[in-house]
Amino acid sequence: NELQIDCDWTKSTKDNYFYLLKKIKELSGKKLSCTLRLYPYKYPDIMGVPPVDKATLMCYNLIQPLSQQHKNSILDIKELEKYLTRKDKYPVHLDIALPVFFWSQWYQNNQFVKLLDKSSTELADFTKQTEPMWYEVTEDTSLDYYNYLRVGDRIKCEEVSAEDIHKALKLIKEKIVLEGTVTVTLFDLDQSSFNTYSAEELHSFCSGLRR
């Protein structure tokens, strides 16, 4: 009974996008929701308010992945604070999405190669940690027959701790007006999530916004 549209609209595309949302709502007859990034959340006067029944605020990926070597681009609490500066009521009902995924950025000769679906635990056998989030390959390694890592390659492993998710939840409760039943989405909930977090931790993420 609900459709959700995922689109990072811009100031120049909002009119076309909002028109599309109105037509989807009209033709489907279903409840309509959309994803909402933090920038349009903070600046609705500039970015507009989508014509939907509710929106899911995406509280992650606040930094361009390759732009800041010493910050976690998936979830950085100080970056999150920059968007949640005052407790205003958003015109549309808000749900919340939080990150429970990880990725590793692989570099050869200081040039980005690709993202690897590997956690820090999976990197341990052939790397050494050189600084927070950063690892250096210590032996030539082939991954899945497609990716050949050489000694000296660097890997930035970005993961989200349960502690950081709870910090994000605390900030969200303090700075966002949440009304009625709030759905918490964990992206993306798969086997790696169950390997990373305990069942109790996952439950606490989903119940962390209860008043």
Side-chain angles (χ1 to χ4, degrees):
N1 64 357
E2 177 184 335
L3 295 173
Q4 183 174 86
I5 308 302
D6 180 18
C7 176
D8 297 345
W9 76 90
T10 65
K11 185 178 178 181
S12 64
T13 63
K14 71 176 180 179
D15 289 342
N16 285 340
Y17 176 53
F18 289 2
Y19 175 78
L20 174 66
L21 291 174
K22 289 176 183 177
K23 297 306 289 185
I24 291 174
K25 172 73 174 176
E26 175 187 323
L27 295 170
S28 69
K30 297 180 182 292
K31 182 178 289 186
L32 187 65
S33 63
C34 74
T35 54
L36 176 66
R37 291 291 177 181
L38 283 151
Y39 184 85
Y41 164 78
K42 184 176 180 179
Y43 300 106
D45 293 343
I46 298 172
M47 300 297 291
V49 176
V52 291
D53 298 297
K54 58 181 183 175
T56 298
L57 188 62
M58 315 296 275
C59 297
Y60 57 88
N61 286 145
L62 308 178
I63 303 169
Q64 291 293 328
L66 307 184
S67 64
Q68 300 191 46
Q69 289 197 348
H70 300 292
K71 287 189 175 183
N72 188 327
S73 68
I74 296 175
L75 179 62
D76 184 278
I77 301 302
K78 290 189 179 300
E79 288 294 323
L80 184 59
E81 288 174 344
K82 293 178 182 179
Y83 292 96
L84 306 183
T85 56
R86 59 187 185 276
K87 193 160 187 173
D88 292 338
K89 185 179 183 307
Y90 194 71
V92 171
H93 172 87
L94 289 179
D95 292 325
I96 300 296
L98 296 165
V100 290
F101 67 94
F102 57 81
W103 58 33
S104 291
Q105 302 168 14
W106 170 26
Y107 294 83
Q108 277 188 343
N109 300 318
N110 292 319
Q111 297 294 314
F112 173 73
V113 179
K114 65 186 299 185
L115 288 175
L116 300 173
D117 185 23
K118 297 293 179 183
S119 67
S120 58
T121 301
E122 294 172 299
L123 298 176
D125 289 342
F126 59 91
T127 68
K128 64 178 181 181
Q129 187 166 7
T130 56
E131 55 184 304
M133 294 188 290
W134 283 93
Y135 298 79
E136 183 178 314
V137 176
T138 55
E139 58 182 87
D140 291 351
T141 302
S142 177
L143 298 179
D144 309 319
Y145 303 103
Y146 298 108
N147 304 303
Y148 187 71
L149 284 70
R150 300 185 179 93
V151 171
D153 287 359
R154 300 177 72 225
I155 300 173
K156 182 186 181 186
C157 185
E158 296 186 326
E159 300 168 307
V160 181
S161 68
E163 180 185 3
D164 277 343
I165 292 179
H166 284 297
K167 287 179 181 177
L169 287 165
K170 181 175 183 291
L171 183 62
I172 290 165
K173 286 180 70 174
E174 291 174 353
K175 297 295 186 179
I176 297 179
V177 177
L178 298 171
E179 296 181 330
T181 300
V182 177
T183 297
V184 176
T185 298
L186 303 179
F187 182 80
D188 54 7
L189 192 60
D190 61 10
Q191 187 57 49
S192 66
S193 307
F194 294 102
N195 294 337
T196 303
Y197 309 101
S198 67
E200 291 77 12
E201 286 172 331
L202 290 170
H203 182 268
S204 71
F205 301 160
C206 292
S207 60
L209 295 177
R210 290 177 184 167
R211 292 182 287 277

